[in-house]
Amino acid sequence: MNTLFNTTFENEEASHYQNGVYLRPRTYDLQESNVHLKLTIVDTVGFGDQINKEERLKNKLILMQLINPSHSTLMLRLRLWVLISQQLSKCFLNYKPIVDYIDTQFENYLQEELKIKRSLFNYHDTRIHICLYFISPTGHSLKSLDLVTMKKLDSKVNIIPIIAKADTISKSELHKFKIKIMSELVSNGVQIYQFPTDDDAVAEINSSMNAHLPFAVVGSVEEVKVGNKTVRARQYPWGVVQVENESHCDFVKLREMLIRVNMEDLREQTHARHYELYRRCKLEEMGFKDTDPDSQPFSLQETYEAKRKEFLSDLQRKEEEMRQMFVNKVKETEAELKEKERELHDKFEQLKRMHQEEKRKVEEKRRDLEEEMNAFNKRKVAAETLSLSQPLKKDKDKKKCFKEPFALQAIFVKLQCAAICRSDKNENQSGMSLSNSKVMMAKANVEPLNCQSWWQAIQCCTCLVHNDAWKQGLF
């Protein structure tokens, strides 16, 4: 585009890994001398990038197997149809955004045309007037994507096929490639734009240009000095390819046909052929027609009333269907809710029974625990009562123990007195000295009595008094 219009447009590089195809329109105001041109360039970003070449190779291998009848099986045929459908679906995803964009521009123009107050004179016409379809310079044949896309676009836009990067193949190969492309387009029923020959002023040049289709072009914005002139060209180690040299490429022919000779014809073809076709199909879909079945003149008012009645009846029918559908949906929902409610009720009853059973068990355990606590409290009270009575007994025993030594001491005193008296008698009788009695009394004081009570002490003392040894004074 930069080379074609001799200017520099905004060029934003796009990735080849887009998820789909999207169109990027850009509008420019160009002016050269007294000629003003409003140009809209629409780039198809991502077109052709989603085709898997490995699957295409598999398709060719399967086709080669199907050619041989001995290897033609039902499974292979089914697989072929599956692969063809997949390939067509991918082609559909590539050209559908382009077709939709063109139809959208036609629809915008139609809506403007159907307005009561329309301003087509100063309306910005965004309809696509020409499609420059670039073909890869393979030198073999067109891709299936190219054929399918051009077949879908030929009834909506003027198509001019162009071989891009024509300097990559030789002239003989380029000539054969052009013939191959045109034969494939004709055999597949693809209608490309033919330069008009009905006007005598341009009939000769247009007929000669039609013989050069598709144009093989080379683009470049770099200026290279060739001899004494500076020209736009592409420089290679083996030479220079001049863009505006007709012996090198068809760029000059393309520029002449598009800008200088057939620009108005392209606009007329778009309006008279492609837009009218879209408009007729659209109005027929809306129910409008030129004559009625009886070949009577067409009445727009009657058609409008008939279409309105048809629309209202259709709307009423759809409303009734939606109402019936809503009623059925409500009934189904109510049945589902009742079923859910019944299930929840059963589950609630089951949980209630389980809760009552658990409550009963807890009550039983609580009663058992209370009984155990009561028994424990009784035992505790008895133990406390017993523990309170035992200290009193111990105090009495202590007091008793404190009294018994005094009694025993009194007994010892009496016994000592008795011993002294007995010692006096014996001294008088046997002449024993007083010192012996004192020793015996000291012995009686020293030796303890192994008695637990005062009664036992008395008995011990009585036994001691009545003892023969005691009487004889042997100790």
Side-chain angles (χ1 to χ4, degrees):
M1 291 294 106
N2 295 341
T3 309
L4 185 62
F5 291 94
N6 194 20
T7 186
T8 302
F9 298 110
E10 296 179 5
N11 188 13
E12 182 179 348
E13 294 293 335
S15 174
H16 291 280
Y17 299 96
Q18 300 290 337
N19 294 328
V21 179
Y22 71 95
L23 280 75
R24 184 173 59 192
R26 298 175 184 270
T27 303
Y28 305 94
D29 290 328
L30 305 179
Q31 186 173 359
E32 184 177 352
S33 299
N34 296 327
V35 179
H36 180 78
L37 176 64
K38 194 169 188 178
L39 176 66
T40 300
I41 301 175
V42 182
D43 294 332
T44 56
V45 181
F47 179 77
D49 292 336
Q50 306 301 322
I51 301 299
N52 193 339
K53 297 180 180 179
E54 294 181 357
E55 292 184 0
R56 185 179 180 185
L57 181 60
K58 292 179 182 178
N59 294 349
K60 289 185 178 180
L61 293 176
I62 293 175
L63 285 173
M64 292 175 63
Q65 293 178 357
L66 289 174
I67 292 173
N68 190 352
S70 61
H71 295 88
S72 179
T73 60
L74 179 61
M75 292 301 296
L76 287 175
R77 293 179 184 276
L78 291 175
R79 188 178 178 187
L80 174 65
W81 283 110
V82 170
L83 292 174
I84 289 176
S85 62
Q86 291 177 353
Q87 194 72 15
L88 290 176
S89 64
K90 291 181 179 180
C91 293
F92 175 77
L93 294 176
N94 275 270
Y95 70 75
K96 188 178 184 303
I98 304 173
V99 175
D100 292 341
Y101 181 83
I102 296 173
D103 290 342
T104 302
Q105 310 314 312
F106 284 156
E107 181 66 24
N108 294 337
Y109 192 86
L110 178 62
Q111 294 297 328
E112 182 66 24
E113 195 177 43
L114 293 177
K115 288 181 179 179
I116 297 176
K117 292 183 178 181
R118 54 185 182 178
S119 56
L120 296 177
F121 177 75
N122 56 359
Y123 174 73
H124 180 206
D125 188 3
T126 59
R127 295 176 295 178
I128 306 300
H129 298 98
I130 186 170
C131 172
L132 300 179
Y133 196 95
F134 290 90
I135 302 171
S136 299
T138 59
H140 302 290
S141 61
L142 290 173
K143 301 177 183 178
S144 57
L145 175 63
D146 298 332
L147 291 173
V148 172
T149 304
M150 283 193 282
K151 182 64 179 176
K152 292 295 181 180
L153 296 178
D154 62 354
S155 60
K156 297 180 179 297
V157 68
N158 302 313
I159 301 175
I160 296 180
I162 297 174
I163 301 175
K165 300 178 181 180
D167 53 341
T168 57
I169 55 179
S170 62
K171 285 188 176 182
S172 58
E173 292 176 348
L174 182 60
H175 181 69
K176 294 178 181 179
F177 190 38
K178 286 185 176 183
I179 296 174
K180 181 67 175 178
I181 290 173
M182 294 304 295
S183 63
E184 288 184 355
L185 292 177
V186 172
S187 61
N188 287 276
V190 179
Q191 297 180 0
I192 62 174
Y193 175 73
Q194 295 288 330
F195 302 116
T197 57
D198 51 355
D199 189 359
D200 295 336
V202 294
E204 183 178 357
I205 186 173
N206 283 343
S207 61
S208 63
M209 290 298 111
N210 287 331
H212 287 85
L213 290 175
F215 294 127
V217 299
V218 176
S220 177
V221 293
E222 297 180 359
E223 294 183 351
V224 179
K225 189 173 182 180
V226 178
N228 296 326
K229 296 188 301 182
T230 301
V231 296
R232 288 180 296 174
R234 301 181 68 88
Q235 189 169 7
Y236 295 99
W238 45 264
V240 177
V241 178
Q242 300 180 22
V243 173
E244 297 180 351
N245 191 339
E246 296 188 20
S247 61
H248 291 180
C249 65
D250 299 331
F251 176 79
V252 176
K253 298 183 179 65
L254 174 64
R255 185 178 59 187
E256 291 289 329
M257 292 297 101
L258 290 184
I259 300 177
R260 298 180 182 177
V261 179
N262 298 305
M263 179 178 289
E264 288 300 322
D265 184 72
L266 290 170
R267 292 167 57 88
E268 291 176 3
Q269 284 289 327
T270 299
H271 183 79
R273 179 186 170 192
H274 303 296
Y275 171 70
E276 286 298 327
L277 178 62
Y278 175 83
R279 178 177 174 275
R280 183 175 72 248
C281 295
K282 194 68 175 179
L283 293 177
E284 287 178 355
E285 289 178 3
M286 297 171 62
F288 297 100
K289 49 190 175 181
D290 294 335
T291 58
D292 56 9
D294 298 332
S295 299
Q296 296 296 326
F298 173 74
S299 175
L300 184 61
Q301 182 67 25
E302 293 178 359
T303 302
Y304 171 74
E305 292 294 336
K307 196 66 178 178
R308 184 174 180 275
K309 291 179 181 180
E310 182 182 355
F311 175 75
L312 291 176
S313 61
D314 189 23
L315 181 63
Q316 186 176 4
R317 179 180 58 81
K318 289 183 178 180
E319 184 178 358
E320 186 65 27
E321 291 178 357
M322 291 182 66
R323 185 182 293 107
Q324 188 65 29
M325 186 184 301
F326 176 75
V327 171
N328 296 334
K329 193 68 176 177
V330 169
K331 290 181 179 180
E332 292 177 0
T333 306
E334 288 180 352
E336 292 178 358
L337 290 176
K338 288 181 180 180
E339 183 67 21
K340 295 291 185 182
E341 184 179 1
R342 185 182 62 80
E343 293 178 359
L344 289 174
H345 182 71
D346 295 341
K347 189 173 181 180
F348 173 74
E349 292 295 333
Q350 183 180 1
L351 292 174
K352 187 177 179 181
R353 290 192 296 270
M354 293 174 62
H355 174 69
Q356 292 177 353
E357 183 68 20
E358 292 292 333
K359 186 177 180 180
R360 184 183 61 80
K361 292 180 180 179
V362 170
E363 288 293 333
E364 291 178 358
K365 290 182 179 180
R366 186 179 62 81
R367 286 195 296 269
D368 295 341
L369 184 60
E370 287 180 353
E371 291 176 359
E372 291 179 1
M373 289 177 65
N374 292 332
F376 175 76
N377 289 331
K378 289 180 181 180
R379 291 195 298 269
K380 182 179 178 182
V381 171
E384 289 178 353
T385 304
L386 183 61
S387 62
L388 290 174
S389 63
Q390 285 180 355
L392 295 175
K393 186 176 180 182
K394 289 181 180 180
D395 293 340
K396 291 180 181 180
D397 292 341
K398 287 181 181 180
K399 292 179 180 179
K400 188 176 180 182
C401 291
F402 283 130
K403 292 179 181 179
E404 287 178 354
F406 291 108
L408 292 175
Q409 187 176 3
I411 294 171
F412 289 148
V413 171
K414 291 180 180 181
L415 289 175
Q416 289 173 5
C417 293
I420 293 170
C421 294
R422 186 172 59 81
S423 64
D424 291 339
K425 291 179 181 182
N426 292 334
E427 183 180 356
N428 295 328
Q429 292 177 2
S430 58
M432 188 178 292
S433 64
L434 183 60
S435 62
N436 291 332
S437 62
K438 292 180 179 179
V439 171
M440 181 183 61
M441 186 173 60
K443 184 178 180 181
N445 287 330
V446 172
E447 291 181 359
L449 296 176
N450 296 324
C451 300
Q452 299 297 328
S453 62
W454 61 273
W455 179 251
Q456 291 179 359
I458 292 172
Q459 289 179 349
C460 291
C461 292
T462 305
C463 294
L464 182 64
V465 172
H466 292 286
N467 193 359
D468 293 338
W470 172 269
K471 293 179 178 181
Q472 294 176 4
L474 297 176
F475 51 81

